[in-house]
């Protein structure tokens, strides 16, 4: 049963729950209502019996009025009887063979007695001279009360029978927005990742928003995959074609020096392709991976290692007012290596390259020829290489730098006043998570 409930539809579970709770509540309410009705009707009959007793008491001195009252009893009191006693307990008058006994105690309220094996409800009225006792059998009272309760019970059952289908209909109507969302998703093509714009109730809005967020994330992931595939196919086609040409030249050339030159060019092509594939994979990893950038990093030590890997002197590093950086040590090392590699590639031999690190920024500069403004504006675009470049490359180094900076909540600024400068400025120092 439990497993069935878990696998049942939301409409079924909600319907069963509402119907069960409604039925239980209705049953409890009906029980209380019938109990209260029983008490209220009993109290009303008691009051009416006492009113009839007062009328008889006031008519005792007028025989005509007494006869009228005796013959004109209420319809719901067909067996009301009375007995009249003197103050000493002598029977003076009785309306039937059922003589009600003299009461030694007087209270202004009805009471229940047993007479001839039957229960009677009596009311007493007396003064110093006489006592009037008026009574009716309990059987008639209970019969009247039972009829009223039966009528109310049948009415309550009919009302419940009408209410339950209406509740079922209301539940079905209330779940229509979910059906609308389901129908909209069913109509969609697999590649349709546009946001849902259906108007839904407030309770369903979080689900719609979560779906829209998921669609956006999947769309971004697919776009990254398409971009990576297109970039890889575009950029690898040329070096691989050149590599094939050089190998064919080496195979077909009869001169050893020509074959050696072709093989050397093929090796350079392999190196370029390896470098390109490595950068593409690094860029793809940055695009798809969830990167933790909340670890403390010794940025000065990373800069020293990067200078060592680039074959530059430690004196190139200048620090002032440094503080603890938070980020991913491997990615920041990759950022520094890319910047130093670019600085070495595009400056003259023995050019001055400097790394300056202060409290929240890293600046790598050189005294090379710099770049014109129109080229500076496009640096950082994927696979963009300025025209007339003699150095090999794929145009991905600065793209990787920009992506790593973005993951670390940092901003990249390029300048070319005297030489070329790249500044990485972290907007806020502190633990964070990027993905």
């Amino acid at each position: 049963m439990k497993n069935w409930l878990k696998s049942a539809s939301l409409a079924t579970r909600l319907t069963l729950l509402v119907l069960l709770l409604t039925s239980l509540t209705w049953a409890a309410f009906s029980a209380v209502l019938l109990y209260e009705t029983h008490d209220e009707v009993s109290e009303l009959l008691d009051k009416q019996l006492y009113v009839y007793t007062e009328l008889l008491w006031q008519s005792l001195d007028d025989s005509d009025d007494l006869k009228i009252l005796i013959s004109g009893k209420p319809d719901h009191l067909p067996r009301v009887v009375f007995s009249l006693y003197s103050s000493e307990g002598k029977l003076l008058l009785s309306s039937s063979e059922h003589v009600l006994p003299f009461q030694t105690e007087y209270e202004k309220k009805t009471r229940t007695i047993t007479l001839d094996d039957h229960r009677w409800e009596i009311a007493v009225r007396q003064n110093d001279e006489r006592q009037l006792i008026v009574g009716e059998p309990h059987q008639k009272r209970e019969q009247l009360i039972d009829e009223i309760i039966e009528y109310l019970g049948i009415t309550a059952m009919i009302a419940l029978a009408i209410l339950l289908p209406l509740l079922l209909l209301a539940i079905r109507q209330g779940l229509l927005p979910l059906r609308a969302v389901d129908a909209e998703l069913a109509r969609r093509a697999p590649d349709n990742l546009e946001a849902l714009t259906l108007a839904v109730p407030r309770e369903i809005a979080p689900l719609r928003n979560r779906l829209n967020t998921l669609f956006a994330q999947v769309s971004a992931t697919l776009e990254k995959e398409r971009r990576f595939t297109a970039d890889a196919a575009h950029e690898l086609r040329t070096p691989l074609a050149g590599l094939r040409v050089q190998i064919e030249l080496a195979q077909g050339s009869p001169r050893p020096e020509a074959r050696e030159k072709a093989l050397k060019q093929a090796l350079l092509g392999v190196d370029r392709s390896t470098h390109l594939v490595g950068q593409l994979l690094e860029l793809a990893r940055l695009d798809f991976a969830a990167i933790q950038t909340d670890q403390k990093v010794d940025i000065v030590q990373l800069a020293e290692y990067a200078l060592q890997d680039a074959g530059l002197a430690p004196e190139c590093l200048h620090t002032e007012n440094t503080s603890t950086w938070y980020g991913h040590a491997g990615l920041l090392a990759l950022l520094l290596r890319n910047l130093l590699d670019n600085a070495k590639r595009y400056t003259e031999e023995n050019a001055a390259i400097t790394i300056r690190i202060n409290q929240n920024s890293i600046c790598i500069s050189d005294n090379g020829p710099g770049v014109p403004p129109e080229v500076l504006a496009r640096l950082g675009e994927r696979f963009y290489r300025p025209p007339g470049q003699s150095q090999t490359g794929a145009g991905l180094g600065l793209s990787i730098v920009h992506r790593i900076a973005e993951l670390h909540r940092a901003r990249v600024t390029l300048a070319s006043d005297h030489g070329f400068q790249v500044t990485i400025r972290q907007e806020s120092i502190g633990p964070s998570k990027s993905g």
Side-chain angles (χ1 to χ4, degrees):
M1 181 67 177
K2 187 176 181 180
N3 293 332
W4 179 83
L5 282 177
K6 288 183 178 179
S7 61
S9 67
L10 179 61
T12 301
R13 296 172 66 179
L14 187 59
T15 300
L16 290 177
L17 182 62
V18 170
L19 295 185
L20 177 62
L21 292 179
T22 301
S23 300
L24 292 177
T25 303
W26 196 270
F29 170 77
S30 299
V32 173
L33 175 64
L34 296 180
Y35 178 80
E36 292 293 332
T37 301
H38 184 282
D39 284 354
E40 291 295 329
V41 174
S42 297
E43 184 178 351
L44 178 64
L45 293 178
D46 290 344
K47 289 181 178 179
Q48 193 155 14
L49 180 63
Y50 202 85
V51 169
Y52 187 66
T53 302
E54 288 291 333
L55 290 175
L56 282 175
W57 179 262
Q58 294 173 8
S59 303
L60 288 178
D61 296 331
D62 190 332
S63 59
D64 293 334
D65 289 344
L66 183 60
K67 291 178 181 180
I68 293 174
L69 283 174
I70 295 175
S71 61
K73 291 180 292 186
D75 293 337
H76 65 278
L77 299 176
R79 297 189 60 186
V80 171
V81 299
F82 70 90
S83 298
L84 182 64
Y85 291 89
S86 65
S87 59
E88 291 80 14
K90 181 180 179 180
L91 179 65
L92 302 177
L93 179 63
S94 179
S95 62
S96 72
E97 69 277 8
H98 299 288
V99 179
L100 301 175
F102 181 79
Q103 302 295 311
T104 58
E105 297 180 1
Y106 171 65
E107 296 181 17
K108 285 190 175 182
K109 63 179 182 179
T110 62
R111 69 185 71 171
T112 303
I113 64 172
T114 302
L115 179 65
D116 299 333
D117 296 330
H118 295 286
R119 297 171 64 219
W120 290 70
E121 193 74 17
I122 64 171
V124 180
R125 184 75 167 86
Q126 72 176 27
N127 58 17
D128 295 338
E129 300 178 355
R130 51 194 175 183
Q131 180 185 84
L132 175 65
I133 306 170
V134 180
E136 62 171 327
H138 255 277
Q139 181 180 0
K140 296 298 182 180
R141 291 167 59 93
E142 294 297 334
Q143 182 179 355
L144 177 62
I145 293 174
D146 289 344
E147 289 177 358
I148 295 175
I149 290 178
E150 181 181 359
Y151 174 78
L152 289 178
I154 293 174
T155 303
M157 292 298 295
I158 294 174
L160 180 61
I162 296 174
L163 177 63
L164 292 183
L166 292 178
L167 285 175
L168 180 60
L169 179 61
I171 291 171
R172 298 291 179 181
Q173 291 294 322
L175 293 176
L176 283 180
L178 282 178
R179 296 180 181 271
V181 173
D182 176 69
E184 173 65 20
L185 294 176
R187 286 194 299 266
R188 286 192 165 210
D191 59 346
N192 185 0
L193 296 174
E194 295 181 0
L196 290 171
T197 57
L198 291 173
V200 295
R202 183 173 54 187
E203 292 79 6
I204 306 177
L207 174 62
R208 181 198 59 189
N209 296 338
R210 289 293 182 184
L211 283 174
N212 289 339
T213 301
L214 179 61
F215 289 157
Q217 292 172 345
V218 173
S219 179
T221 301
L222 291 177
E223 180 60 31
K224 290 174 183 178
E225 289 182 354
R226 295 190 193 101
R227 184 171 60 187
F228 173 76
T229 303
D231 291 347
H234 176 269
E235 294 303 319
L236 288 174
R237 186 182 298 114
T238 300
L240 290 178
L243 183 61
R244 180 181 180 84
V245 169
Q246 296 299 330
I247 293 175
E248 289 176 349
L249 286 175
Q251 285 179 336
S253 177
R255 294 182 299 168
E257 62 274 11
R259 288 198 300 271
E260 185 178 353
K261 181 179 179 181
L263 289 174
K264 186 181 294 185
Q265 291 298 323
L267 287 175
L268 291 175
V270 170
D271 291 338
R272 286 195 296 270
S273 299
T274 302
H275 179 70
L276 173 59
V277 170
Q279 287 191 313
L280 284 172
L281 293 176
E282 287 289 350
L283 201 55
R285 185 169 71 90
L286 294 177
D287 280 342
F288 290 104
I291 307 298
Q292 299 290 330
T293 59
D294 57 349
Q295 301 172 354
K296 289 185 179 181
V297 175
D298 189 343
I299 194 67
V300 175
Q301 187 180 53
L302 291 179
E304 291 173 350
Y305 290 157
L307 286 172
Q308 184 178 352
D309 292 341
L312 297 174
E315 290 76 14
C316 296
L317 176 61
H318 302 274
T319 62
E320 53 180 285
N321 298 327
T322 58
S323 62
T324 301
W325 277 55
Y326 289 88
H328 188 281
L331 294 183
L332 290 174
L334 178 62
L335 177 144
L336 293 171
R337 286 199 303 269
N338 274 279
L339 291 177
L340 291 176
D341 181 67
N342 279 348
K344 287 187 64 177
R345 281 172 176 268
Y346 301 108
T347 57
E348 298 177 356
E349 190 175 356
N350 299 324
I353 299 175
T354 304
I355 301 181
R356 295 187 180 276
I357 301 177
N358 61 24
Q359 187 172 2
N360 63 342
S361 68
I362 305 170
C363 180
I364 298 179
S365 60
D366 60 65
N367 60 352
V371 296
E374 62 274 11
V375 174
L376 185 67
R378 296 194 59 187
L379 287 180
E381 296 179 10
R382 289 191 177 198
F383 303 109
Y384 173 73
R385 285 175 52 76
Q389 283 291 333
S390 59
Q391 295 291 334
T392 60
L396 288 175
L398 284 178
S399 296
I400 294 175
V401 168
H402 276 278
R403 178 57 179 155
I404 294 174
E406 179 184 347
L407 292 174
H408 288 78
R409 297 178 299 166
R411 183 163 45 90
V412 180
T413 303
L414 306 179
S416 185
D417 297 331
H418 301 287
F420 187 73
Q421 300 89 35
V422 180
T423 302
I424 311 297
R425 187 177 301 278
Q426 202 168 29
E427 295 179 355
S428 61
I429 302 295
S432 66
K433 292 184 179 180
S434 300

